[in-house]
Amino acid sequence: MKITAVRVTPIAFKDPPLLNAAGIHEPYALRSIIEIETQCGRLGLGESYGDAPVLQDLLLAAPHLVGQSVFDLNGARRAVANHLSAPAQGLLPDATLALAPSTHSEKAFAKAFGAFETALLDCQAQIVGLPLVELLGGAVRQEVDYSAYLFFKYAKHIDADYPSDPWGQAISSPEIVAQAQRMIDLYGFGSIKLKAGALEPDHEAQCLEDLAKAFPHHPLRIDPNANWSLTTAERIAQRLGRLLEYYEDPTPSLEGMAQLHKATGLPLATNMVVTTFEEFKRSIAMNAVQIVLCDHHFWGGIRATQELARMCETFGLGVSMHSNSHLGISLMAMTHMAAAIPNVAYACDTHYPWQVEDVIEQGRVPIVNGKVRLTHTPGLGVTLDREKLRELHEQFLSCGITSRNDAAQMRKYHPNHTNKKPRF
Ligand code: GKR
Ligand code: MG
């Protein structure tokens, strides 16, 4: 079944002023929407990053998929590997071998291929008349658990051209507990993740302790995005250790995480130090992390993420799931994938509650009791709202953002804000 057209549309959607280790979210987050059309009239959908380098790769590779079979994932891999802006190295026998130093071409390929693969799998599942989860090996669960993803935040953006969000400021501990309460009331989440690394570590630890008091039955995680030194991470581990389901990326590098685990015995999770199979291998040798947060957007697609989950099983690691700001196509891809991976044993991350716009005809994907239910129609189960796509593409063209830069955005509030890492 031949591919007749591939479209990549960059979009921008409203995003609240959420704080993180790098700085603060900009008023708009970027994504790319991928459409793959087949000669039998199917339309497969994908969603991925919309920052300039990824977008460039997607636009370069897209025309080279046309004419291939929608089932030929190896052919698609070759087409992407051979048309990256920084050529990929050693991925497939005929991939171009020139490589500029330090271009991380391995991840560029994984991101670009992952974006197309979701749309290809959506088409494949539609053609065979099955929900995507069945193509992926079958559902081991009908609903996928997600966690309440809390952020420190300002009440409003310094420079947004739209009204502020209804969540208000969340800097103090009572404000964070109120944010958790609101998110749980709205979506019924059964576990909580606090994004940290933004404010003083002892203040963030206090917030986590207050969350534990307010929600004694909710498993809790804290994620400072490697913004704590090993000394700080050890000190906070002593304070919070007994409250944590896992301790996510407290400190930089595989070496740092290995030392921290040795010193504290706490289960460490990551989406920062194990992001490729090469890093996975090194991590195993060092016992650096015990849980890997998978993400098909940067692990090279859904099939590669299933392989990652099998590797985790083989080496006795846990599997959870990472998220960036995303819309409903990604949420349904994450849900079908997580439903087909037996060893996803934790509630997955999602930024979805922070988003108010979407590009799917079904409207917002419902999250009920903290879970997203599988769809039973063929494929991913979502269709494109062309009018919304057009609007969000217009927003991309007018918003002035082409690559996410949370540090530069923070300098608009605090001119002395630096990229120093770890900051605490
Ligand atoms: O969007 O601010 C954010 C997050 O911090 C994101 O950039 C991280 O990639 O959510 C992510 C994480 O778990 O590290
Ligand atoms: Mg993380």
Side-chain angles (χ1 to χ4, degrees):
M1 189 58 61
K2 294 264 183 281
I3 297 170
T4 50
V6 180
R7 284 185 291 280
V8 176
T9 310
I11 59 165
F13 51 85
K14 297 180 184 73
D15 202 25
L18 307 177
L19 304 186
N20 61 22
I24 186 167
H25 284 210
E26 293 159 289
Y28 293 94
L30 310 180
R31 295 294 269 180
S32 299
I33 302 300
I34 289 91
E35 297 171 69
I36 293 188
E37 264 179 37
T38 63
Q39 64 188 145
C40 60
R42 312 280 173 182
L43 182 73
L45 297 177
E47 178 191 330
S48 192
Y49 310 99
D51 300 81
V54 179
L55 183 60
Q56 187 185 6
D57 283 339
L58 297 178
L59 292 169
L60 281 172
H64 302 279
L65 295 172
V66 176
Q68 296 203 3
S69 162
V70 78
F71 286 91
D72 185 6
L73 293 180
N74 281 333
R77 275 191 196 96
R78 270 194 304 276
V80 173
N82 285 332
H83 296 94
L84 292 173
S85 47
Q89 188 169 36
L91 292 163
L92 290 166
D94 69 342
T96 313
L97 290 182
L99 178 72
S102 78
T103 50
H104 300 291
S105 71
E106 199 182 340
K107 285 179 197 165
F109 169 79
K111 288 184 206 170
F113 176 71
F116 292 116
E117 192 223 33
T118 304
L120 291 168
L121 293 174
D122 185 18
C123 280
Q124 292 179 13
Q126 289 179 44
I127 290 167
V128 296
L130 295 172
L132 179 57
V133 68
E134 291 197 34
L135 194 74
L136 299 178
V140 294
R141 47 186 77 85
Q142 289 300 317
E143 341 177 89
V144 171
D145 274 300
Y146 287 88
S147 60
Y149 197 156
L150 311 184
F151 278 82
F152 293 101
K153 74 181 284 289
Y154 293 158
K156 56 182 177 137
H157 283 291
I158 199 165
D159 55 356
D161 54 0
Y162 56 84
S164 30
D165 64 76
W167 292 86
Q169 172 179 287
I171 297 294
S172 69
S173 183
E175 287 167 344
I176 279 290
V177 172
Q179 186 189 95
Q181 189 64 62
R182 178 183 164 95
M183 206 173 265
I184 288 165
D185 289 346
L186 287 172
Y187 299 101
F189 292 115
S191 27
I192 297 175
K193 162 168 173 167
L194 177 62
K195 172 60 61 182
L199 305 173
E200 281 299 322
D202 283 293
H203 172 67
E204 294 182 339
Q206 180 66 55
C207 292
L208 200 286
E209 286 167 346
D210 292 346
L211 286 167
K213 279 189 209 120
F215 304 96
H217 305 298
H218 283 64
L220 298 170
R221 311 129 186 208
I222 191 163
D223 176 11
N225 277 121
N227 216 8
W228 294 349
S229 68
L230 186 55
T231 311
T232 304
E234 277 192 47
R235 184 168 63 73
I236 302 292
Q238 280 164 14
R239 185 166 170 182
L240 297 184
R242 72 196 160 80
L243 301 177
L244 294 177
E245 181 182 34
Y246 55 67
Y247 199 17
E248 182 175 330
D249 283 314
T251 201
S253 82
L254 279 172
E255 289 74 12
M257 294 284 270
Q259 283 185 53
L260 183 65
H261 178 65
K262 201 168 171 196
T264 64
L266 285 179
L268 303 184
T270 190
N271 57 271
M272 296 182 78
V273 294
V274 178
T275 61
T276 63
F277 287 102
E278 174 54 32
E279 287 169 346
F280 183 98
K281 192 166 103 186
R282 291 187 57 225
S283 179
I284 293 299
M286 298 161 70
N287 193 18
V289 306
Q290 291 66 49
I291 295 130
V292 177
L293 274 73
C294 66
D295 183 334
H296 70 279
H297 304 92
F298 71 78
W299 272 95
I302 292 176
R303 296 283 194 201
T305 306
Q306 289 183 290
E307 284 163 17
L308 168 67
R310 275 191 210 106
M311 301 260 289
C312 288
E313 188 183 3
T314 307
F315 289 96
L317 300 190
V319 181
S320 188
M321 196 187 287
H322 166 259
S323 148
N324 286 118
S325 305
H326 66 87
L327 299 183
I329 298 171
S330 277
L331 183 58
M332 287 318 299
M334 291 154 71
T335 299
H336 280 267
M337 182 175 82
I341 298 181
N343 53 332
V344 170
Y346 303 92
C348 300
D349 288 354
T350 179
H351 283 232
Y352 199 63
W354 294 109
Q355 265 52 81
V356 290
E357 294 167 294
D358 212 327
V359 288
I360 54 176
E361 283 181 319
Q362 289 72 13
R364 303 268 307 155
V365 174
I367 302 179
V368 179
N369 295 327
K371 299 168 199 296
V372 175
R373 276 201 80 75
L374 281 173
T375 44
H376 294 289
T377 49
L380 267 177
V382 289
T383 46
L384 204 52
D385 179 334
R386 296 217 160 268
E387 184 47 30
K388 275 312 281 181
L389 183 71
R390 195 193 55 73
E391 270 175 35
L392 298 195
H393 177 60
E394 287 298 316
Q395 219 158 247
F396 172 84
L397 296 175
S398 62
C399 76
I401 302 168
T402 52
S403 283
R404 175 179 172 176
N405 191 337
D406 294 10
Q409 182 67 11
M410 186 54 112
R411 280 192 280 278
K412 296 180 186 168
Y413 303 75
H414 304 291
N416 295 332
H417 179 79
T418 68
N419 290 336
K420 179 172 182 267
K421 274 199 129 195
R423 182 170 302 122
F424 303 103

